[in-house]
Amino acid sequence: MLLRCVDPFNFRMADGRLLSVDELASLEPAATCTVLLPAAFSSITSIMVGAGEAALLRKTLPWRLEESLLSSPETLHFAHSAVSDGRAAVTLVDRSALQQVRSNLTAAGIVPAEIHADLSLVPWQPRHWSVWVDQHNNSELLVRHGWHQGFACTVTNLASALTLLQNEQQSWPEQIVFYGSREQAAAVQAVLPAPLQNLFAIRKQPGWEELLNAQTTPCNVLQGSFAPPLPWQRWRQEWRLAAGLLVALLLIDGIL
């Protein structure tokens, strides 16, 4: 089951249905559940990692990113992918929001196996920028412009955001790939200057489940203090049963 979080109390199903936590509790239990977090309380970035830094990365992330943070590090949860080619994908989540999401889902009988930032699933390729429109909120856009880099904005401030991005990268992309309908693309193009309009290419939106399966930079935020607890109780019961059977076999063998 895939749930896209709208806020800690409401979730959208893969088929588009919006359900409250109470309504989720009435669903047929799923074997596994993946949750996607909105950009309202999650963000993505990437960092270079030296050969001797990987083992301590979880501890060093807060101070490495401190200068770029808009919130106090204490209010954020830091998660990272495995290090690949000397870099790691990093997802930052508002700690209290993540705790509320997980608590609400647990109360509904749902234990997520994975939680990802939805922005990290937006398709992207080198020298391209991707613009994804929310099908249920046409004014909300997700912009991905790097391997594990992106941001959210509205249609009205897209032009300013892309101009700032161009100043930062010191070049325009080869294409700006828009994921949405032609009508939505036309509305977005209308607010952009002519040079950017000429870079537009329109693509049909894949489903979130398809994007999740195609993800190449997995960064499950269920790490550190949010990592799922190990099933010690179940393991203990299984070992006690196995030990009991072994003792019984030894006794029977001794009697015979």
Side-chain angles (χ1 to χ4, degrees), residues 7-216:
D7 58 54
F9 300 90
N10 295 280
F11 299 81
R12 198 171 293 280
M13 303 285 291
D15 60 9
R17 286 179 295 161
L18 181 64
L19 301 178
S20 67
V21 171
D22 292 338
E23 291 172 316
L24 286 175
S26 63
L27 294 179
E28 186 76 19
T32 60
C33 176
T34 297
V35 177
L36 304 182
L37 299 177
F41 49 82
S42 66
S43 59
I44 63 173
T45 188
S46 61
I47 60 171
M48 302 305 296
V49 183
E53 297 177 309
L56 299 175
L57 190 54
R58 192 182 312 284
K59 294 181 179 180
T60 60
L61 275 177
W63 67 261
R64 286 195 61 176
L65 297 172
E66 187 172 10
E67 291 186 1
S68 62
L69 299 178
L70 299 178
S71 304
S72 170
E74 290 75 20
T75 66
L76 299 173
H77 169 62
F78 297 80
H80 66 85
S81 69
V83 178
S84 176
D85 295 327
R87 61 182 179 177
V90 179
T91 300
L92 298 84
V93 189
D94 180 276
R95 182 174 289 275
S96 61
L98 179 57
Q99 182 62 59
Q100 187 70 68
V101 167
R102 200 167 70 163
S103 296
N104 288 346
L105 289 175
T106 300
I110 299 173
V111 181
E114 297 182 14
I115 299 181
H116 300 271
D118 59 5
L119 186 51
S120 69
L121 271 62
V122 173
W124 172 83
Q125 57 182 315
R127 297 181 296 280
H128 289 62
W129 296 349
S130 301
V131 177
W132 179 285
V133 62
D134 189 328
Q135 294 292 342
H136 305 284
N137 182 0
N138 288 343
S139 67
E140 183 176 294
L141 304 174
L142 299 178
V143 179
R144 187 169 173 191
H145 57 84
W147 176 66
H148 193 73
Q149 295 172 305
F151 56 85
C153 67
T154 62
V155 172
T156 54
N157 63 20
L158 178 63
S160 298
L162 294 185
T163 300
L164 289 173
L165 181 58
Q166 187 272 337
N167 291 336
E168 178 184 309
Q169 297 194 352
Q170 299 183 337
S171 65
W172 291 112
E174 293 179 4
Q175 273 191 336
I176 298 177
V177 183
F178 182 88
Y179 291 92
S181 68
R182 292 191 175 275
E183 293 75 14
Q184 293 166 328
V188 172
Q189 280 183 293
V191 304
L192 298 178
L196 291 184
Q197 292 186 23
N198 296 333
L199 297 177
F200 248 51
I202 303 173
R203 300 285 187 273
K204 182 181 178 181
Q205 282 190 340
W208 287 106
E209 288 181 316
E210 181 182 344
L211 293 174
L212 183 65
N213 293 333
Q215 189 181 32
T216 58

Side-chain angles (χ1 to χ4, degrees), residues 223-242:
Q223 304 176 19
S225 59
F226 286 94
L230 294 174
W232 294 113
Q233 187 63 33
R234 178 172 60 83
W235 291 350
R236 181 184 178 188
Q237 291 176 347
E238 291 174 354
W239 278 108
R240 287 179 64 182
L241 175 61

